[in-house]
mmCIF file of all heavy atoms in Angstrom:
data_model
loop_
_atom_site.group_PDB
_atom_site.id
_atom_site.type_symbol
_atom_site.label_atom_id
_atom_site.label_comp_id
_atom_site.label_asym_id
_atom_site.label_seq_id
_atom_site.Cartn_x
_atom_site.Cartn_y
_atom_site.Cartn_z
ATOM 1 N N ASP A 356 -34.496 12.723 30.905
ATOM 2 C CA ASP A 356 -33.303 13.404 31.456
ATOM 3 C C ASP A 356 -33.435 14.912 31.394
ATOM 4 O O ASP A 356 -33.050 15.595 32.357
ATOM 5 C CB ASP A 356 -32.041 12.937 30.693
ATOM 6 C CG ASP A 356 -31.625 11.531 31.125
ATOM 7 O OD1 ASP A 356 -32.098 11.051 32.156
ATOM 8 O OD2 ASP A 356 -30.793 10.930 30.395
ATOM 9 N N GLY A 357 -33.965 15.422 30.276
ATOM 10 C CA GLY A 357 -34.146 16.870 30.146
ATOM 11 C C GLY A 357 -35.087 17.393 31.189
ATOM 12 O O GLY A 357 -34.802 18.434 31.838
ATOM 13 N N GLN A 358 -36.188 16.706 31.439
ATOM 14 C CA GLN A 358 -37.180 17.171 32.421
ATOM 15 C C GLN A 358 -36.676 17.010 33.853
ATOM 16 O O GLN A 358 -36.941 17.861 34.699
ATOM 17 C CB GLN A 358 -38.512 16.412 32.211
ATOM 18 C CG GLN A 358 -39.160 16.748 30.854
ATOM 19 C CD GLN A 358 -39.314 18.237 30.602
ATOM 20 O OE1 GLN A 358 -39.940 18.958 31.378
ATOM 21 N NE2 GLN A 358 -38.664 18.734 29.539
ATOM 22 N N THR A 359 -35.890 15.944 34.105
ATOM 23 C CA THR A 359 -35.272 15.772 35.429
ATOM 24 C C THR A 359 -34.351 16.965 35.706
ATOM 25 O O THR A 359 -34.380 17.550 36.807
ATOM 26 C CB THR A 359 -34.424 14.483 35.443
ATOM 27 O OG1 THR A 359 -35.237 13.412 34.984
ATOM 28 C CG2 THR A 359 -33.914 14.152 36.856
ATOM 29 N N THR A 360 -33.545 17.304 34.709
ATOM 30 C CA THR A 360 -32.625 18.429 34.837
ATOM 31 C C THR A 360 -33.384 19.735 35.103
ATOM 32 O O THR A 360 -33.008 20.523 35.960
ATOM 33 C CB THR A 360 -31.749 18.560 33.568
ATOM 34 O OG1 THR A 360 -31.249 17.262 33.234
ATOM 35 C CG2 THR A 360 -30.616 19.529 33.762
ATOM 36 N N ALA A 361 -34.479 19.919 34.354
ATOM 37 C CA ALA A 361 -35.288 21.140 34.521
ATOM 38 C C ALA A 361 -35.822 21.238 35.971
ATOM 39 O O ALA A 361 -35.711 22.288 36.586
ATOM 40 C CB ALA A 361 -36.455 21.115 33.520
ATOM 41 N N HIS A 362 -36.337 20.110 36.471
ATOM 42 C CA HIS A 362 -36.871 20.150 37.841
ATOM 43 C C HIS A 362 -35.756 20.369 38.860
ATOM 44 O O HIS A 362 -35.942 21.116 39.822
ATOM 45 C CB HIS A 362 -37.622 18.847 38.135
ATOM 46 C CG HIS A 362 -38.986 18.854 37.531
ATOM 47 N ND1 HIS A 362 -39.375 17.979 36.526
ATOM 48 C CD2 HIS A 362 -40.055 19.683 37.737
ATOM 49 C CE1 HIS A 362 -40.630 18.255 36.177
ATOM 50 N NE2 HIS A 362 -41.057 19.280 36.883
ATOM 51 N N TYR A 363 -34.590 19.747 38.635
ATOM 52 C CA TYR A 363 -33.468 19.959 39.562
ATOM 53 C C TYR A 363 -33.081 21.448 39.605
ATOM 54 O O TYR A 363 -32.892 22.020 40.689
ATOM 55 C CB TYR A 363 -32.269 19.097 39.142
ATOM 56 C CG TYR A 363 -31.065 19.320 40.024
ATOM 57 C CD1 TYR A 363 -30.906 18.641 41.210
ATOM 58 C CD2 TYR A 363 -30.088 20.253 39.648
ATOM 59 C CE1 TYR A 363 -29.819 18.875 42.028
ATOM 60 C CE2 TYR A 363 -28.997 20.504 40.457
ATOM 61 C CZ TYR A 363 -28.870 19.813 41.645
ATOM 62 O OH TYR A 363 -27.796 20.049 42.450
ATOM 63 N N ILE A 364 -32.963 22.051 38.419
ATOM 64 C CA ILE A 364 -32.560 23.476 38.353
ATOM 65 C C ILE A 364 -33.626 24.345 39.029
ATOM 66 O O ILE A 364 -33.279 25.251 39.799
ATOM 67 C CB ILE A 364 -32.286 23.902 36.885
ATOM 68 C CG1 ILE A 364 -31.063 23.164 36.351
ATOM 69 C CG2 ILE A 364 -32.084 25.412 36.795
ATOM 70 C CD1 ILE A 364 -30.784 23.441 34.889
ATOM 71 N N ALA A 365 -34.875 24.090 38.728
ATOM 72 C CA ALA A 365 -35.956 24.867 39.334
ATOM 73 C C ALA A 365 -35.873 24.781 40.870
ATOM 74 O O ALA A 365 -36.082 25.797 41.562
ATOM 75 C CB ALA A 365 -37.308 24.387 38.836
ATOM 76 N N ASP A 366 -35.575 23.592 41.410
ATOM 77 C CA ASP A 366 -35.461 23.421 42.872
ATOM 78 C C ASP A 366 -34.313 24.230 43.455
ATOM 79 O O ASP A 366 -34.363 24.659 44.616
ATOM 80 C CB ASP A 366 -35.212 21.943 43.206
ATOM 81 C CG ASP A 366 -36.508 21.125 43.109
ATOM 82 O OD1 ASP A 366 -37.584 21.742 42.987
ATOM 83 O OD2 ASP A 366 -36.418 19.886 43.087
ATOM 84 N N GLN A 367 -33.239 24.411 42.662
ATOM 85 C CA GLN A 367 -32.081 25.139 43.153
ATOM 86 C C GLN A 367 -32.311 26.664 43.184
ATOM 87 O O GLN A 367 -31.513 27.383 43.748
ATOM 88 C CB GLN A 367 -30.850 24.888 42.255
ATOM 89 C CG GLN A 367 -30.453 23.433 42.103
ATOM 90 C CD GLN A 367 -29.975 22.848 43.404
ATOM 91 O OE1 GLN A 367 -29.078 23.402 44.049
ATOM 92 N NE2 GLN A 367 -30.588 21.757 43.856
ATOM 93 N N LEU A 368 -33.351 27.126 42.488
ATOM 94 C CA LEU A 368 -33.561 28.558 42.312
ATOM 95 C C LEU A 368 -34.918 28.966 42.882
ATOM 96 O O LEU A 368 -35.840 29.324 42.137
ATOM 97 C CB LEU A 368 -33.488 28.931 40.829
ATOM 98 C CG LEU A 368 -32.238 28.460 40.087
ATOM 99 C CD1 LEU A 368 -32.396 28.688 38.590
ATOM 100 C CD2 LEU A 368 -30.989 29.167 40.588
ATOM 101 N N PRO A 369 -35.089 28.948 44.207
ATOM 102 C CA PRO A 369 -36.415 29.209 44.764
ATOM 103 C C PRO A 369 -36.831 30.686 44.670
ATOM 104 O O PRO A 369 -38.015 30.990 44.661
ATOM 105 C CB PRO A 369 -36.279 28.764 46.224
ATOM 106 C CG PRO A 369 -34.822 28.827 46.546
ATOM 107 C CD PRO A 369 -34.082 28.632 45.253
ATOM 108 N N ASP A 370 -35.824 31.598 44.537
ATOM 109 C CA ASP A 370 -36.143 33.025 44.658
ATOM 110 C C ASP A 370 -36.264 33.729 43.312
ATOM 111 O O ASP A 370 -36.195 34.949 43.235
ATOM 112 C CB ASP A 370 -35.050 33.727 45.470
ATOM 113 C CG ASP A 370 -34.825 33.053 46.791
ATOM 114 O OD1 ASP A 370 -35.823 32.564 47.364
ATOM 115 O OD2 ASP A 370 -33.672 32.947 47.231
ATOM 116 N N ILE A 371 -36.403 32.975 42.217
ATOM 117 C CA ILE A 371 -36.400 33.603 40.896
ATOM 118 C C ILE A 371 -37.453 32.943 40.029
ATOM 119 O O ILE A 371 -37.804 31.769 40.269
ATOM 120 C CB ILE A 371 -34.978 33.461 40.288
ATOM 121 C CG1 ILE A 371 -34.765 34.516 39.214
ATOM 122 C CG2 ILE A 371 -34.709 32.077 39.742
ATOM 123 C CD1 ILE A 371 -33.306 34.688 38.872
ATOM 124 N N THR A 372 -38.000 33.683 39.054
ATOM 125 C CA THR A 372 -38.989 33.110 38.139
ATOM 126 C C THR A 372 -38.285 32.112 37.205
ATOM 127 O O THR A 372 -37.344 32.473 36.517
ATOM 128 C CB THR A 372 -39.606 34.223 37.256
ATOM 129 O OG1 THR A 372 -39.983 35.293 38.105
ATOM 130 C CG2 THR A 372 -40.798 33.713 36.462
ATOM 131 N N VAL A 373 -38.770 30.879 37.239
ATOM 132 C CA VAL A 373 -38.210 29.873 36.327
ATOM 133 C C VAL A 373 -39.337 29.397 35.426
ATOM 134 O O VAL A 373 -40.403 28.987 35.910
ATOM 135 C CB VAL A 373 -37.628 28.675 37.103
ATOM 136 C CG1 VAL A 373 -37.071 27.630 36.137
ATOM 137 C CG2 VAL A 373 -36.526 29.120 38.045
ATOM 138 N N THR A 374 -39.154 29.522 34.107
ATOM 139 C CA THR A 374 -40.192 29.057 33.177
ATOM 140 C C THR A 374 -39.578 28.008 32.254
ATOM 141 O O THR A 374 -38.368 27.807 32.248
ATOM 142 C CB THR A 374 -40.687 30.224 32.284
ATOM 143 O OG1 THR A 374 -39.566 30.781 31.619
ATOM 144 C CG2 THR A 374 -41.367 31.300 33.121
ATOM 145 N N SER A 375 -40.432 27.321 31.524
ATOM 146 C CA SER A 375 -39.862 26.397 30.534
ATOM 147 C C SER A 375 -40.645 26.535 29.240
ATOM 148 O O SER A 375 -41.768 27.042 29.226
ATOM 149 C CB SER A 375 -39.878 24.971 31.059
ATOM 150 O OG SER A 375 -41.079 24.353 30.779
ATOM 151 N N LEU A 376 -40.037 26.087 28.113
ATOM 152 C CA LEU A 376 -40.714 26.193 26.808
ATOM 153 C C LEU A 376 -42.037 25.441 26.850
ATOM 154 O O LEU A 376 -42.151 24.398 27.497
ATOM 155 C CB LEU A 376 -39.836 25.593 25.729
ATOM 156 C CG LEU A 376 -38.534 26.311 25.386
ATOM 157 C CD1 LEU A 376 -37.921 25.694 24.128
ATOM 158 C CD2 LEU A 376 -38.773 27.793 25.143
ATOM 159 N N ALA A 377 -43.028 25.949 26.105
ATOM 160 C CA ALA A 377 -44.343 25.275 26.045
ATOM 161 C C ALA A 377 -44.209 23.983 25.273
ATOM 162 O O ALA A 377 -43.403 23.857 24.336
ATOM 163 C CB ALA A 377 -45.348 26.201 25.363
ATOM 164 N N GLN A 378 -45.024 22.995 25.660
ATOM 165 C CA GLN A 378 -45.112 21.764 24.884
ATOM 166 C C GLN A 378 -46.442 21.756 24.144
ATOM 167 O O GLN A 378 -47.427 22.245 24.655
ATOM 168 C CB GLN A 378 -45.057 20.546 25.812
ATOM 169 C CG GLN A 378 -43.698 20.372 26.439
ATOM 170 C CD GLN A 378 -43.558 19.007 27.102
ATOM 171 O OE1 GLN A 378 -44.457 18.581 27.786
ATOM 172 N NE2 GLN A 378 -42.444 18.356 26.889
ATOM 173 N N GLY A 379 -46.450 21.225 22.945
ATOM 174 C CA GLY A 379 -47.696 21.169 22.186
ATOM 175 C C GLY A 379 -47.459 20.737 20.751
ATOM 176 O O GLY A 379 -46.405 20.152 20.445
ATOM 177 N N VAL A 380 -48.453 21.065 19.906
ATOM 178 C CA VAL A 380 -48.388 20.663 18.497
ATOM 179 C C VAL A 380 -47.358 21.543 17.790
ATOM 180 O O VAL A 380 -47.428 22.751 17.868
ATOM 181 C CB VAL A 380 -49.778 20.872 17.863
ATOM 182 C CG1 VAL A 380 -49.766 20.405 16.401
ATOM 183 C CG2 VAL A 380 -50.852 20.141 18.642
ATOM 184 N N PRO A 381 -46.365 20.950 17.089
ATOM 185 C CA PRO A 381 -45.385 21.765 16.368
ATOM 186 C C PRO A 381 -46.068 22.527 15.228
ATOM 187 O O PRO A 381 -47.052 22.030 14.678
ATOM 188 C CB PRO A 381 -44.398 20.758 15.773
ATOM 189 C CG PRO A 381 -44.750 19.445 16.321
ATOM 190 C CD PRO A 381 -46.132 19.521 16.883
ATOM 191 N N VAL A 382 -45.529 23.738 14.902
ATOM 192 C CA VAL A 382 -46.099 24.508 13.788
ATOM 193 C C VAL A 382 -45.951 23.703 12.501
ATOM 194 O O VAL A 382 -44.877 23.188 12.191
ATOM 195 C CB VAL A 382 -45.383 25.871 13.671
ATOM 196 C CG1 VAL A 382 -45.893 26.637 12.456
ATOM 197 C CG2 VAL A 382 -45.577 26.684 14.924
ATOM 198 N N GLY A 383 -47.075 23.557 11.759
ATOM 199 C CA GLY A 383 -47.045 22.746 10.538
ATOM 200 C C GLY A 383 -47.263 21.268 10.806
ATOM 201 O O GLY A 383 -47.311 20.477 9.878
ATOM 202 N N GLY A 384 -47.394 20.889 12.109
ATOM 203 C CA GLY A 384 -47.547 19.483 12.436
ATOM 204 C C GLY A 384 -48.987 18.998 12.257
ATOM 205 O O GLY A 384 -49.924 19.760 12.511
ATOM 206 N N GLU A 385 -49.185 17.759 11.845
ATOM 207 C CA GLU A 385 -50.516 17.192 11.707
ATOM 208 C C GLU A 385 -50.760 16.267 12.893
ATOM 209 O O GLU A 385 -49.913 15.463 13.265
ATOM 210 C CB GLU A 385 -50.618 16.429 10.397
ATOM 211 C CG GLU A 385 -50.549 17.357 9.188
ATOM 212 C CD GLU A 385 -50.736 16.579 7.884
ATOM 213 O OE1 GLU A 385 -51.762 15.900 7.738
ATOM 214 O OE2 GLU A 385 -49.840 16.656 7.053
#
Side-chain angles (χ1 to χ4, degrees):
Chain A
D356 284 345
Q358 294 309 301
T359 309
T360 312
H362 281 115
Y363 177 85
I364 293 175
D366 283 348
Q367 302 295 306
L368 307 171
D370 307 324
I371 202 164
T372 313
V373 180
T374 57
S375 87
L376 292 189
Q378 290 193 317
V380 182
V382 175
E385 292 183 57

